[in-house]
Amino acid sequence: RLFVSRAMRHPNIFRKRITRIEGRPLAGDWVAVYAEPNENEPNAKLFGYGLYNPKSSIAVRLMRWGSELPDQMFWQGKIDQA
């Protein structure tokens, strides 16, 4: 799990926006991305999944917004759209 200060719609999450990381994700791992709790949302909120790259300034590239991990149907839908 990876946390940022607030949810976003942009697919790139820069390293400086990450507030904390739980666990030890490796390059290429899927990470669940959460918005930190705030006065409007008292609990951390899962808002997407992305691929992690600890060596890049863009540490996460969001691939799917929402609470569902990208699966075979997700990727097939992307291929069909192309």
Side-chain angles (χ1 to χ4, degrees):
R1 294 181 359 153
L2 184 140
F3 294 81
V4 295
S5 57
R6 61 184 175 82
M8 62 195 74
R9 293 297 302 171
H10 196 280
N12 297 332
I13 298 178
F14 289 86
R15 185 176 317 146
K16 64 183 179 182
R17 305 254 353 249
I18 297 171
T19 56
R20 63 187 164 114
I21 299 173
E22 292 181 355
R24 294 178 177 228
L26 302 173
D29 282 352
W30 284 104
V31 289
V33 182
Y34 289 80
E36 290 280 10
N38 58 48
E39 62 275 354
N40 298 324
E41 184 68 47
N43 299 311
K45 182 178 179 184
L46 173 64
F47 70 90
Y49 287 90
L51 295 170
Y52 182 66
N53 183 349
K55 296 184 179 188
S56 174
S57 61
I58 300 172
V60 178
R61 295 191 188 268
L62 286 173
M63 302 300 286
R64 187 167 197 178
W65 285 259
S67 60
E68 294 182 35
L69 188 63
D71 57 11
Q72 184 66 30
M73 288 181 59
F74 170 81
W75 293 114
Q76 188 62 50
K78 292 292 185 188
I79 292 169
D80 292 345
Q81 287 177 348

Coordinates of all heavy atoms in Angstrom, one line a residue:
R1 N 0.8 -1.2 0.0 CA 0.0 0.0 0.0 C 0.9 1.2 0.0 O 1.9 1.3 0.7 CB -0.9 0.0 1.2 CG -1.9 -1.1 1.2 CD -2.9 -1.2 2.3 NE -2.8 -0.3 3.4 CZ -3.9 0.1 4.1 NH1 -5.0 -0.4 3.9 NH2 -3.8 0.9 5.1
L2 N 0.4 2.2 -0.8 CA 1.2 3.4 -0.9 C 0.2 4.6 -0.7 O -1.0 4.5 -1.1 CB 1.7 3.5 -2.3 CG 2.6 4.6 -2.8 CD1 3.7 4.1 -3.6 CD2 1.8 5.6 -3.5
F3 N 0.6 5.6 0.0 CA -0.3 6.7 0.4 C 0.2 8.0 -0.2 O 1.4 8.3 -0.2 CB -0.3 6.8 1.9 CG -1.0 5.7 2.5 CD1 -0.3 4.5 2.8 CD2 -2.3 5.7 2.9 CE1 -0.9 3.4 3.4 CE2 -2.9 4.6 3.5 CZ -2.2 3.4 3.7
V4 N -0.8 8.9 -0.7 CA -0.5 10.2 -1.1 C -1.4 11.1 -0.3 O -2.4 10.7 0.3 CB -0.7 10.4 -2.6 CG1 0.3 9.5 -3.4 CG2 -2.1 10.0 -3.0
S5 N -1.1 12.4 -0.4 CA -1.9 13.4 0.4 C -3.4 13.5 0.0 O -4.3 13.7 0.8 CB -1.3 14.8 0.4 OG -1.1 15.2 -0.9
R6 N -3.6 13.3 -1.3 CA -5.0 13.4 -1.8 C -5.2 12.6 -3.1 O -4.2 12.4 -3.8 CB -5.5 14.8 -2.0 CG -4.7 15.6 -3.0 CD -5.2 17.1 -3.1 NE -4.3 17.8 -4.0 CZ -4.5 17.8 -5.3 NH1 -5.4 17.1 -5.9 NH2 -3.7 18.5 -6.1
A7 N -6.4 12.1 -3.4 CA -6.6 11.4 -4.6 C -6.5 12.3 -5.8 O -6.6 13.5 -5.7 CB -8.1 10.8 -4.6
M8 N -6.1 11.7 -7.0 CA -5.9 12.5 -8.2 C -6.4 11.7 -9.4 O -6.5 10.5 -9.3 CB -4.4 12.9 -8.3 CG -3.5 11.7 -8.4 SD -1.8 12.0 -8.2 CE -1.8 12.2 -6.4
R9 N -6.5 12.4 -10.5 CA -6.9 11.8 -11.7 C -5.8 11.7 -12.7 O -5.9 11.1 -13.7 CB -8.1 12.6 -12.4 CG -9.4 12.6 -11.6 CD -10.0 11.2 -11.5 NE -10.3 10.6 -12.7 CZ -10.6 9.3 -12.9 NH1 -10.8 8.5 -11.8 NH2 -10.8 8.8 -14.1
H10 N -4.7 12.2 -12.4 CA -3.5 12.2 -13.3 C -2.8 10.8 -13.1 O -2.7 10.3 -12.0 CB -2.5 13.3 -12.9 CG -1.5 13.5 -14.0 ND1 -0.4 12.7 -14.2 CD2 -1.5 14.4 -15.0 CE1 0.3 13.1 -15.3 NE2 -0.4 14.1 -15.8
P11 N -2.4 10.2 -14.2 CA -1.8 8.8 -14.1 C -0.4 8.7 -13.5 O 0.0 7.6 -13.1 CB -1.8 8.3 -15.5 CG -1.8 9.6 -16.3 CD -2.5 10.6 -15.6
N12 N 0.3 9.8 -13.4 CA 1.6 9.8 -12.8 C 1.7 10.3 -11.4 O 1.2 11.4 -11.1 CB 2.6 10.7 -13.7 CG 2.7 10.1 -15.1 OD1 2.5 9.0 -15.4 ND2 3.0 11.0 -16.0
I13 N 2.3 9.5 -10.5 CA 2.4 9.9 -9.1 C 3.9 10.1 -8.9 O 4.7 9.1 -9.0 CB 1.9 8.9 -8.2 CG1 0.4 8.8 -8.4 CG2 2.2 9.3 -6.7 CD1 -0.3 7.8 -7.5
F14 N 4.3 11.3 -8.7 CA 5.8 11.6 -8.5 C 6.1 11.2 -7.0 O 5.3 11.3 -6.1 CB 6.0 13.1 -8.7 CG 6.0 13.5 -10.2 CD1 4.8 13.8 -10.8 CD2 7.1 13.5 -10.9 CE1 4.7 14.1 -12.1 CE2 7.1 13.8 -12.3 CZ 5.9 14.1 -12.9
R15 N 7.4 10.8 -6.9 CA 7.9 10.3 -5.6 C 7.7 11.4 -4.5 O 7.3 11.0 -3.4 CB 9.4 10.0 -5.7 CG 10.0 9.4 -4.5 CD 11.4 9.0 -4.6 NE 11.6 8.4 -5.9 CZ 12.7 8.5 -6.7 NH1 13.7 9.2 -6.2 NH2 12.8 7.9 -7.8
K16 N 7.8 12.6 -4.8 CA 7.7 13.7 -3.7 C 6.2 13.8 -3.2 O 6.0 14.3 -2.2 CB 8.1 15.0 -4.2 CG 7.4 15.6 -5.4 CD 8.0 16.9 -5.9 CE 7.2 17.4 -7.0 NZ 7.8 18.6 -7.5
R17 N 5.2 13.2 -4.0 CA 3.8 13.2 -3.5 C 3.5 12.1 -2.6 O 2.4 12.1 -2.0 CB 2.9 13.2 -4.7 CG 3.1 14.2 -5.8 CD 2.2 15.4 -5.9 NE 1.0 15.3 -5.1 CZ -0.3 15.1 -5.6 NH1 -0.4 15.0 -6.9 NH2 -1.3 15.1 -4.8
I18 N 4.4 11.1 -2.5 CA 4.1 9.9 -1.7 C 4.4 10.3 -0.2 O 5.5 10.8 0.1 CB 5.0 8.7 -2.1 CG1 4.6 8.3 -3.5 CG2 4.8 7.6 -1.1 CD1 5.5 7.3 -4.1
T19 N 3.4 10.1 0.6 CA 3.6 10.4 2.1 C 4.1 9.2 2.9 O 4.8 9.4 3.8 CB 2.3 10.9 2.7 OG1 1.3 9.9 2.5 CG2 1.8 12.2 2.1
R20 N 3.8 8.0 2.4 CA 4.3 6.8 3.1 C 4.0 5.5 2.2 O 3.2 5.5 1.4 CB 3.8 6.6 4.5 CG 2.3 6.4 4.6 CD 1.8 6.4 6.0 NE 0.4 6.6 6.1 CZ -0.5 5.6 6.5 NH1 0.0 4.5 6.9 NH2 -1.8 5.9 6.5
I21 N 4.8 4.5 2.5 CA 4.7 3.2 1.8 C 4.7 2.1 2.9 O 5.5 2.1 3.7 CB 5.9 3.0 0.8 CG1 5.9 4.1 -0.2 CG2 5.8 1.6 0.2 CD1 7.2 4.0 -1.1
E22 N 3.7 1.3 2.8 CA 3.6 0.1 3.6 C 4.1 -1.1 2.9 O 3.8 -1.3 1.7 CB 2.2 -0.2 4.1 CG 1.7 0.9 5.0 CD 0.3 0.6 5.5 OE1 -0.4 -0.3 5.1 OE2 -0.2 1.4 6.3
G23 N 5.0 -1.9 3.5 CA 5.6 -3.0 2.8 C 6.8 -2.6 2.1 O 7.3 -1.4 2.2
R24 N 7.3 -3.4 1.2 CA 8.5 -3.2 0.4 C 8.3 -3.5 -1.0 O 8.8 -4.6 -1.5 CB 9.7 -4.0 1.0 CG 10.1 -3.5 2.4 CD 11.2 -4.4 2.9 NE 11.7 -3.9 4.2 CZ 12.9 -3.7 4.5 NH1 13.9 -3.9 3.6 NH2 13.2 -3.2 5.7
P25 N 7.5 -2.7 -1.7 CA 7.3 -3.0 -3.1 C 8.6 -3.0 -4.0 O 9.4 -2.1 -3.7 CB 6.3 -2.0 -3.6 CG 6.5 -0.8 -2.7 CD 6.9 -1.5 -1.4
L26 N 8.7 -3.9 -4.9 CA 9.8 -3.9 -5.8 C 9.4 -3.2 -7.2 O 8.2 -3.1 -7.5 CB 10.3 -5.3 -6.1 CG 10.6 -6.1 -4.8 CD1 10.9 -7.6 -5.2 CD2 11.9 -5.5 -4.1
A27 N 10.4 -2.9 -8.0 CA 10.2 -2.4 -9.3 C 9.2 -3.3 -10.1 O 9.5 -4.5 -10.1 CB 11.5 -2.1 -10.0
G28 N 8.2 -2.7 -10.6 CA 7.2 -3.5 -11.4 C 6.1 -4.1 -10.6 O 5.2 -4.6 -11.2
D29 N 6.1 -3.9 -9.3 CA 5.0 -4.5 -8.5 C 3.8 -3.6 -8.6 O 3.9 -2.4 -8.8 CB 5.4 -4.5 -7.0 CG 6.3 -5.7 -6.6 OD1 6.5 -6.6 -7.5 OD2 6.8 -5.7 -5.5
W30 N 2.6 -4.2 -8.5 CA 1.4 -3.5 -8.4 C 1.3 -2.9 -7.0 O 1.6 -3.6 -6.0 CB 0.2 -4.4 -8.7 CG -0.1 -4.7 -10.1 CD1 0.3 -5.9 -10.7 CD2 -0.6 -3.9 -11.1 NE1 -0.1 -5.9 -12.0 CE2 -0.6 -4.6 -12.3 CE3 -1.1 -2.6 -11.1 CZ2 -1.1 -4.1 -13.5 CZ3 -1.6 -2.1 -12.3 CH2 -1.6 -2.8 -13.5
V31 N 0.9 -1.7 -6.9 CA 0.6 -1.1 -5.6 C -0.8 -0.5 -5.5 O -1.3 0.0 -6.5 CB 1.6 0.0 -5.2 CG1 3.0 -0.6 -4.9 CG2 1.7 1.1 -6.3
A32 N -1.4 -0.7 -4.4 CA -2.7 0.0 -4.2 C -2.4 1.4 -3.7 O -1.6 1.6 -2.8 CB -3.5 -0.8 -3.1
V33 N -3.1 2.4 -4.3 CA -2.8 3.8 -3.9 C -3.9 4.3 -3.1 O -5.1 4.3 -3.6 CB -2.5 4.6 -5.2 CG1 -2.1 6.0 -4.8 CG2 -1.4 4.0 -6.0
Y34 N -3.6 4.9 -2.0 CA -4.6 5.4 -1.1 C -4.4 6.9 -0.9 O -3.3 7.4 -0.8 CB -4.5 4.8 0.3 CG -5.0 3.4 0.3 CD1 -4.2 2.3 -0.1 CD2 -6.3 3.0 0.8 CE1 -4.6 1.0 -0.1 CE2 -6.7 1.7 0.9 CZ -5.9 0.7 0.4 OH -6.3 -0.6 0.5
A35 N -5.5 7.7 -0.7 CA -5.4 9.0 -0.2 C -5.4 9.0 1.3 O -6.2 8.3 1.9 CB -6.6 9.8 -0.8
E36 N -4.5 9.8 1.9 CA -4.4 9.9 3.4 C -5.8 10.5 3.9 O -6.5 11.2 3.2 CB -3.3 10.9 3.8 CG -1.9 10.3 3.5 CD -1.4 9.3 4.5 OE1 -2.2 8.9 5.4 OE2 -0.2 9.0 4.5
P37 N -6.1 10.1 5.1 CA -7.3 10.7 5.8 C -7.1 12.2 5.9 O -6.0 12.7 6.0 CB -7.3 10.0 7.2 CG -6.4 8.8 7.1 CD -5.4 9.1 6.0
N38 N -8.3 12.9 5.9 CA -8.3 14.3 6.1 C -9.6 14.7 6.8 O -10.3 13.9 7.2 CB -8.1 15.1 4.8 CG -9.1 14.8 3.8 OD1 -10.3 14.8 4.1 ND2 -8.7 14.5 2.5
E39 N -9.8 16.0 6.9 CA -11.0 16.5 7.7 C -12.3 16.1 7.0 O -13.3 15.9 7.6 CB -11.0 18.0 7.9 CG -11.0 18.8 6.7 CD -9.6 19.1 6.1 OE1 -8.6 18.7 6.7 OE2 -9.5 19.7 5.0
N40 N -12.3 15.9 5.6 CA -13.5 15.5 4.9 C -13.6 14.0 4.8 O -14.7 13.5 4.6 CB -13.4 16.1 3.5 CG -13.4 17.6 3.5 OD1 -14.1 18.2 4.3 ND2 -12.7 18.2 2.6
E41 N -12.5 13.3 4.9 CA -12.6 11.8 4.7 C -11.7 11.3 5.9 O -10.5 11.3 5.8 CB -12.0 11.4 3.4 CG -12.0 9.9 3.1 CD -13.5 9.4 2.9 OE1 -14.3 10.0 2.2 OE2 -13.8 8.4 3.5
P42 N -12.3 10.8 7.0 CA -11.6 10.4 8.1 C -10.8 9.1 8.0 O -9.9 8.8 8.8 CB -12.6 10.2 9.2 CG -13.9 10.0 8.5 CD -13.8 10.7 7.2
N43 N -11.1 8.3 6.9 CA -10.3 7.1 6.7 C -9.6 7.2 5.4 O -10.0 7.9 4.4 CB -11.3 5.9 6.6 CG -12.1 5.7 7.8 OD1 -11.6 5.7 8.9 ND2 -13.4 5.6 7.7
A44 N -8.4 6.4 5.3 CA -7.7 6.4 4.0 C -8.6 5.8 3.0 O -9.3 4.8 3.2 CB -6.4 5.6 4.2
K45 N -8.5 6.4 1.8 CA -9.4 5.9 0.7 C -8.6 5.4 -0.5 O -7.8 6.1 -1.1 CB -10.3 7.1 0.2 CG -11.3 6.7 -0.8 CD -12.1 7.9 -1.2 CE -13.1 7.5 -2.3 NZ -13.9 8.6 -2.8
L46 N -8.9 4.1 -0.8 CA -8.3 3.5 -2.0 C -8.8 4.2 -3.2 O -10.1 4.3 -3.4 CB -8.6 2.0 -2.0 CG -8.2 1.2 -3.3 CD1 -6.7 1.2 -3.4 CD2 -8.7 -0.2 -3.2
F47 N -8.0 4.7 -4.1 CA -8.5 5.3 -5.3 C -7.9 4.7 -6.6 O -8.3 5.1 -7.7 CB -8.4 6.8 -5.3 CG -7.0 7.4 -5.4 CD1 -6.4 7.6 -6.7 CD2 -6.2 7.6 -4.3 CE1 -5.2 8.2 -6.8 CE2 -5.0 8.1 -4.4 CZ -4.4 8.4 -5.6
G48 N -7.0 3.8 -6.5 CA -6.5 3.2 -7.7 C -5.3 2.2 -7.5 O -4.8 2.0 -6.4
Y49 N -4.9 1.6 -8.7 CA -3.7 0.7 -8.7 C -2.8 1.2 -9.7 O -3.2 1.6 -10.8 CB -4.2 -0.7 -9.0 CG -5.0 -1.4 -7.9 CD1 -6.3 -1.2 -7.8 CD2 -4.3 -2.1 -6.9 CE1 -7.0 -1.8 -6.7 CE2 -4.9 -2.7 -5.9 CZ -6.3 -2.6 -5.8 OH -7.0 -3.1 -4.7
G50 N -1.5 1.0 -9.4 CA -0.5 1.4 -10.4 C 0.8 0.5 -10.3 O 0.9 -0.3 -9.4
L51 N 1.7 0.7 -11.2 CA 2.9 0.0 -11.2 C 4.0 0.9 -10.6 O 4.1 2.1 -10.9 CB 3.3 -0.3 -12.7 CG 2.4 -1.3 -13.4 CD1 2.7 -1.4 -14.9 CD2 2.5 -2.7 -12.7
Y52 N 4.8 0.3 -9.7 CA 5.8 1.0 -8.9 C 7.1 0.9 -9.5 O 7.6 -0.1 -10.0 CB 5.8 0.3 -7.5 CG 6.7 1.0 -6.5 CD1 6.5 2.3 -6.1 CD2 7.8 0.3 -6.0 CE1 7.4 2.9 -5.2 CE2 8.7 0.9 -5.1 CZ 8.4 2.2 -4.7 OH 9.3 2.8 -3.8
N53 N 7.8 2.0 -9.5 CA 9.2 2.1 -9.9 C 10.0 3.0 -8.9 O 9.9 4.2 -9.0 CB 9.3 2.7 -11.3 CG 10.7 2.7 -11.9 OD1 11.7 2.5 -11.1 ND2 10.9 3.0 -13.1
P54 N 10.8 2.4 -8.1 CA 11.5 3.1 -7.0 C 12.7 4.0 -7.6 O 13.2 4.8 -6.9 CB 12.0 2.0 -6.1 CG 12.1 0.8 -6.9 CD 11.0 0.9 -7.9
K55 N 13.1 3.7 -8.8 CA 14.2 4.4 -9.4 C 13.8 5.6 -10.2 O 14.7 6.4 -10.7 CB 15.1 3.5 -10.2 CG 15.7 2.4 -9.3 CD 16.6 1.5 -10.1 CE 17.2 0.4 -9.2 NZ 18.2 -0.3 -9.8
S56 N 12.6 5.9 -10.4 CA 12.1 7.0 -11.3 C 11.5 8.1 -10.4 O 11.0 7.8 -9.3 CB 11.0 6.4 -12.2 OG 10.5 7.5 -13.0
S57 N 11.6 9.3 -10.9 CA 10.9 10.4 -10.2 C 9.4 10.2 -10.3 O 8.7 10.7 -9.4 CB 11.3 11.8 -10.7 OG 11.0 11.8 -12.1
I58 N 8.9 9.5 -11.3 CA 7.5 9.1 -11.4 C 7.5 7.7 -10.8 O 7.7 6.7 -11.5 CB 7.0 9.1 -12.8 CG1 7.1 10.5 -13.4 CG2 5.5 8.6 -12.9 CD1 6.8 10.6 -14.9
A59 N 7.2 7.7 -9.5 CA 7.3 6.4 -8.8 C 6.1 5.4 -9.0 O 6.3 4.2 -8.9 CB 7.3 6.7 -7.3
V60 N 5.0 6.0 -9.4 CA 3.8 5.1 -9.7 C 3.1 5.6 -11.0 O 2.9 6.8 -11.1 CB 2.8 5.1 -8.6 CG1 1.6 4.2 -8.9 CG2 3.4 4.6 -7.3
R61 N 2.8 4.7 -11.8 CA 2.0 5.0 -13.0 C 0.7 4.3 -12.8 O 0.6 3.1 -12.9 CB 2.7 4.5 -14.3 CG 4.0 5.3 -14.5 CD 4.5 5.0 -15.9 NE 5.9 5.6 -16.0 CZ 6.1 6.8 -16.5 NH1 5.2 7.6 -16.8 NH2 7.4 7.2 -16.5
L62 N -0.3 5.1 -12.5 CA -1.7 4.6 -12.3 C -2.2 3.9 -13.5 O -2.1 4.5 -14.6 CB -2.6 5.6 -11.8 CG -2.4 6.1 -10.4 CD1 -3.3 7.3 -10.1 CD2 -2.7 5.0 -9.4
M63 N -2.7 2.7 -13.4 CA -3.3 2.0 -14.5 C -4.8 1.9 -14.4 O -5.5 1.7 -15.4 CB -2.7 0.6 -14.6 CG -1.2 0.6 -14.8 SD -0.6 1.5 -16.2 CE -1.0 0.4 -17.5
R64 N -5.3 1.9 -13.2 CA -6.7 1.7 -13.0 C -7.2 2.5 -11.8 O -6.6 2.4 -10.7 CB -7.1 0.2 -12.8 CG -8.6 0.0 -12.7 CD -8.9 -1.4 -12.9 NE -10.3 -1.5 -13.3 CZ -10.9 -2.7 -13.5 NH1 -10.3 -3.8 -13.4 NH2 -12.2 -2.7 -13.8
W65 N -8.2 3.3 -11.9 CA -8.8 4.0 -10.8 C -10.0 3.2 -10.3 O -10.6 2.5 -11.0 CB -9.3 5.4 -11.3 CG -8.2 6.4 -11.6 CD1 -7.8 7.4 -10.7 CD2 -7.3 6.4 -12.7 NE1 -6.8 8.0 -11.3 CE2 -6.4 7.5 -12.5 CE3 -7.2 5.7 -13.9 CZ2 -5.5 7.8 -13.4 CZ3 -6.2 6.0 -14.8 CH2 -5.4 7.1 -14.5
G66 N -10.2 3.3 -9.0 CA -11.2 2.5 -8.3 C -10.6 1.4 -7.5 O -9.4 1.4 -7.2
S67 N -11.5 0.6 -7.0 CA -11.1 -0.4 -6.0 C -10.8 -1.8 -6.6 O -10.4 -2.7 -5.9 CB -12.1 -0.6 -4.9 OG -13.3 -1.0 -5.5
E68 N -10.9 -1.9 -7.9 CA -10.6 -3.3 -8.5 C -9.2 -3.3 -9.2 O -8.9 -2.4 -9.9 CB -11.7 -3.5 -9.6 CG -13.0 -3.7 -9.0 CD -14.0 -4.1 -10.1 OE1 -13.7 -4.8 -11.0 OE2 -15.2 -3.6 -10.0
L69 N -8.5 -4.4 -8.8 CA -7.2 -4.6 -9.4 C -7.3 -4.9 -10.9 O -8.3 -5.6 -11.3 CB -6.5 -5.8 -8.7 CG -5.0 -6.1 -9.0 CD1 -4.1 -4.9 -8.6 CD2 -4.6 -7.3 -8.3
P70 N -6.5 -4.4 -11.8 CA -6.6 -4.8 -13.2 C -6.5 -6.3 -13.4 O -5.6 -6.9 -12.9 CB -5.4 -4.0 -13.9 CG -5.1 -2.9 -12.9 CD -5.4 -3.4 -11.6
D71 N -7.5 -6.8 -14.1 CA -7.5 -8.2 -14.4 C -7.5 -8.5 -15.9 O -7.4 -7.6 -16.7 CB -8.6 -8.9 -13.7 CG -10.0 -8.3 -14.1 OD1 -10.0 -7.5 -15.1 OD2 -11.0 -8.6 -13.5
Q72 N -7.7 -9.7 -16.3 CA -7.7 -10.1 -17.7 C -8.8 -9.3 -18.5 O -8.5 -8.9 -19.6 CB -7.8 -11.6 -17.9 CG -7.8 -12.1 -19.3 CD -6.4 -11.9 -19.9 OE1 -5.4 -12.0 -19.2 NE2 -6.3 -11.7 -21.2
M73 N -9.9 -9.2 -17.9 CA -11.0 -8.5 -18.6 C -10.7 -7.0 -18.8 O -11.0 -6.4 -19.8 CB -12.3 -8.7 -17.8 CG -12.9 -10.1 -17.9 SD -14.5 -10.3 -17.0 CE -15.5 -9.0 -17.8
F74 N -10.0 -6.4 -17.8 CA -9.6 -5.0 -17.9 C -8.7 -4.8 -19.1 O -8.9 -4.0 -19.9 CB -8.9 -4.6 -16.6 CG -8.2 -3.3 -16.7 CD1 -9.0 -2.1 -16.6 CD2 -6.9 -3.2 -16.9 CE1 -8.3 -0.8 -16.6 CE2 -6.2 -1.9 -17.0 CZ -7.0 -0.8 -16.8
W75 N -7.7 -5.7 -19.2 CA -6.7 -5.6 -20.3 C -7.3 -5.9 -21.6 O -7.0 -5.3 -22.6 CB -5.5 -6.5 -20.0 CG -4.7 -6.0 -18.8 CD1 -4.5 -6.7 -17.6 CD2 -4.0 -4.8 -18.7 NE1 -3.7 -5.9 -16.8 CE2 -3.4 -4.8 -17.4 CE3 -3.8 -3.7 -19.6 CZ2 -2.6 -3.7 -17.0 CZ3 -3.0 -2.6 -19.1 CH2 -2.4 -2.6 -17.8
Q76 N -8.2 -6.9 -21.6 CA -8.9 -7.2 -22.9 C -9.7 -6.0 -23.4 O -9.8 -5.7 -24.6 CB -9.8 -8.4 -22.8 CG -10.3 -8.9 -24.1 CD -9.2 -9.3 -25.1 OE1 -8.3 -10.1 -24.8 NE2 -9.3 -8.8 -26.3
G77 N -10.4 -5.3 -22.4 CA -11.1 -4.1 -22.8 C -10.2 -3.0 -23.4 O -10.6 -2.3 -24.3
K78 N -9.1 -2.9 -22.8 CA -8.1 -1.9 -23.3 C -7.7 -2.2 -24.7 O -7.6 -1.4 -25.6 CB -6.9 -1.8 -22.4 CG -7.2 -1.2 -21.1 CD -7.6 0.3 -21.2 CE -7.7 1.0 -19.9 NZ -8.3 2.3 -20.0
I79 N -7.4 -3.5 -25.0 CA -7.0 -4.0 -26.3 C -8.1 -3.7 -27.3 O -7.9 -3.2 -28.4 CB -6.5 -5.4 -26.3 CG1 -5.2 -5.5 -25.5 CG2 -6.4 -6.0 -27.7 CD1 -4.9 -7.0 -25.1
D80 N -9.4 -4.1 -26.9 CA -10.5 -3.9 -27.8 C -10.7 -2.4 -28.1 O -11.2 -2.1 -29.2 CB -11.8 -4.5 -27.1 CG -11.7 -6.0 -27.0 OD1 -10.8 -6.6 -27.7 OD2 -12.5 -6.6 -26.3
Q81 N -10.4 -1.5 -27.2 CA -10.6 -0.1 -27.4 C -9.6 0.5 -28.4 O -9.8 1.5 -29.0 CB -10.5 0.7 -26.1 CG -11.7 0.6 -25.2 CD -11.5 1.3 -23.9 OE1 -10.4 1.7 -23.6 NE2 -12.6 1.4 -23.1
A82 N -8.4 -0.2 -28.4 CA -7.3 0.4 -29.3 C -7.6 0.2 -30.7 O -8.4 -0.4 -31.2 CB -6.0 -0.4 -28.9

